[in-house]
């Protein structure tokens, strides 16, 4: 059996995943199984940056600018975690509930701000097409606002609420969650730079490392068959090839080369980088 085949076998999966966990040092994230996700620890800056990122591909060059962070919408508990942005896409100011964006459900392989931003834009388009051009009907989740120079506040077009600047948040659990999310993004960025892969791929790698680390701790150092299968399935989704494809290429060098090229294309790198850097340095595997 070739070393490529071992990538999807239990022993190699354990070695690869634990080495990855050591490389990334653990950290936040979720599994890499495709399905419904949300971003319960998303920060304002991450959401705004993700909106900027997806709008950057539009021909009109739209951008989103954070105007006010942590605004007070009302005196009622739970209604004060809002922020205001200037949205060049629609040439208007918007107030957005932090709790709302953290509850938005989207479909992907892991929890991430980019998919969150895309889903927000999709919801926004649906609202506009339905006739709610100023946000959701009552302005409970997000709404267009206008600046009032007399009061130095933003006024919601749907709700009529005033949005006033708040100096800083004192929610310790909120700050802790945001720090954990920032640490996850930092690790993903380091992997992206070190191994020359896209940020989404590096997020999946860091997530896989964290998952493996937790499974190893839970099992006392030796993975169960179920654990190995779960990690194998995650690796298959990450690489875009099935175990059957790997096994079929076990004794065929040309097929192995094709397989390496296919995996490289899936994770967004070159076959040379995959074979000479990612596999040996990140997974501890050498192709023969």
């Amino acid at each position: 059996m070739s070393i490529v085949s071992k990538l999807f076998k239990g022993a190699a999966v354990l070695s690869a995943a634990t080495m990855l966990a050591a490389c990334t040092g653990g950290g936040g994230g979720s599994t890499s199984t495709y399905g419904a996700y949300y971003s319960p620890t998303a920060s304002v800056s991450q959401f705004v940056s993700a909106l900027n990122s997806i709008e950057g591909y539009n021909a009109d060059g739209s951008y989103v600018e954070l105007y006010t962070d942590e605004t007070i919408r009302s005196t009622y508990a739970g209604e004060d975690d809002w922020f205001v942005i200037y949205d060049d896409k629609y040439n208007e100011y918007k107030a957005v509930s932090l709790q709302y964006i953290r509850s938005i459900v989207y479909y992907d392989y892991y929890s991430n701000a980019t998919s969150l931003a895309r889903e927000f834009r999709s919801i926004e388009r649906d609202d506009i097409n339905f006739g709610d051009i100023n946000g959701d009907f009552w302005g409970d989740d997000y709404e267009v606002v206008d600046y009032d120079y007399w009061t130095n506040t933003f006024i919601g077009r749907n709700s009529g609420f005033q949005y006033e600047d708040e100096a800083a948040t004192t929610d310790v659990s909120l700050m802790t969650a945001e720090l954990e999310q920032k640490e996850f993004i930092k690790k993903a960025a380091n992997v992206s730079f070190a191994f020359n892969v896209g940020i989404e791929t590096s997020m999946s790698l860091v997530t896989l490392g964290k998952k493996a680390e937790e499974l190893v701790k839970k099992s006392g150092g030796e993975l169960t068959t179920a654990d190995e299968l779960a990690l194998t399935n995650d690796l298959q989704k990450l690489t875009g090839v099935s175990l059957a494809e790997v096994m079929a290429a076990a004794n065929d060098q040309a097929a192995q080369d094709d397989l390496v090229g296919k995996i490289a294309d899936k994770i967004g790198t070159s076959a040379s980088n995959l074979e000479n850097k990612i596999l040996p340095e990140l997974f501890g595997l050498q192709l023969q």
Side-chain angles (χ1 to χ4, degrees):
M1 182 183 295
S2 72
I3 294 181
V4 175
S5 300
K6 294 179 183 178
L7 180 61
F8 291 108
K9 301 305 290 181
V13 169
L14 173 59
S15 173
T18 51
M19 286 186 65
L20 175 60
C23 172
T24 61
S30 60
T31 66
S32 58
T33 303
Y34 186 81
Y37 289 93
Y38 66 106
S39 301
T41 62
S43 69
V44 174
S45 59
Q46 288 165 357
F47 176 68
V48 173
S49 295
L51 282 174
N52 275 316
S53 176
I54 63 173
E55 297 304 333
Y57 294 102
N58 292 344
D60 61 3
S62 297
Y63 66 94
V64 178
E65 179 181 345
L66 179 62
Y67 193 84
T68 305
D69 193 359
E70 301 295 342
T71 64
I72 299 175
R73 169 179 161 124
S74 77
T75 59
Y76 293 98
E79 291 188 353
D80 57 344
D81 291 330
W82 288 72
F83 56 96
V84 176
I85 61 175
Y86 173 72
D87 188 354
D88 188 64
K89 181 179 179 67
Y90 295 104
N91 189 30
E92 60 194 12
Y93 292 100
K94 285 190 179 78
V96 186
S97 166
L98 182 59
Q99 283 84 0
Y100 171 63
I101 64 169
R102 287 176 171 176
S103 70
I104 291 176
V105 176
Y106 49 85
Y107 286 83
D108 206 330
Y109 288 96
Y110 52 86
S111 176
N112 66 95
T114 300
S115 292
L116 167 62
R118 289 197 179 105
E119 186 62 25
F120 175 80
R121 284 302 196 200
S122 178
I123 293 170
E124 190 177 41
R125 285 193 300 270
D126 288 344
D127 286 341
I128 292 172
N129 291 336
F130 191 70
D132 294 326
I133 62 174
N134 292 320
D136 59 279
F137 187 75
W138 296 109
D140 290 331
D141 299 326
Y142 76 98
E143 65 175 332
V144 177
V145 296
D146 299 301
Y147 189 71
D148 186 337
Y149 290 93
W150 294 101
T151 61
N152 292 321
T153 61
F154 290 95
I155 308 297
R157 291 185 184 177
N158 286 344
S159 71
F161 275 111
Q162 290 183 325
Y163 295 86
E164 183 179 5
D165 286 348
E166 181 181 32
T169 180
T170 57
D171 187 335
V172 176
S173 62
L174 174 61
M175 291 188 289
T176 300
E178 290 188 358
L179 285 174
E180 290 176 350
Q181 187 74 357
K182 289 179 181 178
E183 185 65 21
F184 173 74
I185 297 298
K186 179 180 178 181
K187 289 171 183 174
N190 288 339
V191 171
S192 176
F193 176 79
F195 296 98
N196 191 29
V197 293
I199 188 64
E200 293 190 0
T201 294
S202 65
M203 283 181 176
S204 293
L205 289 170
V206 173
T207 295
L208 180 59
K210 177 60 176 177
K211 182 176 181 178
E213 183 182 39
E214 291 174 348
L215 289 175
V216 169
K217 287 181 180 179
K218 182 186 71 174
S219 63
E222 185 172 347
L223 294 182
T224 65
T225 301
D227 291 338
E228 291 177 357
L229 179 61
L231 291 176
T232 299
N233 288 336
D234 283 345
L235 278 171
Q236 288 182 193
K237 289 184 176 68
L238 175 64
T239 59
V241 298
S242 67
L243 179 58
E245 289 179 278
V246 175
M247 297 298 291
N251 300 309
D252 187 331
Q253 185 60 51
Q256 284 190 28
D257 292 341
D258 289 341
L259 203 62
V260 168
K262 183 176 180 179
I263 295 173
D265 288 341
K266 177 66 168 60
I267 67 174
T269 190
S270 66
S272 176
N273 187 50
L274 174 65
E275 184 173 350
N276 298 320
K277 189 174 182 67
I278 296 175
L279 288 179
E281 294 185 26
L282 195 56
F283 289 94
L285 298 177
Q286 292 283 350
L287 298 183
Q288 300 296 329

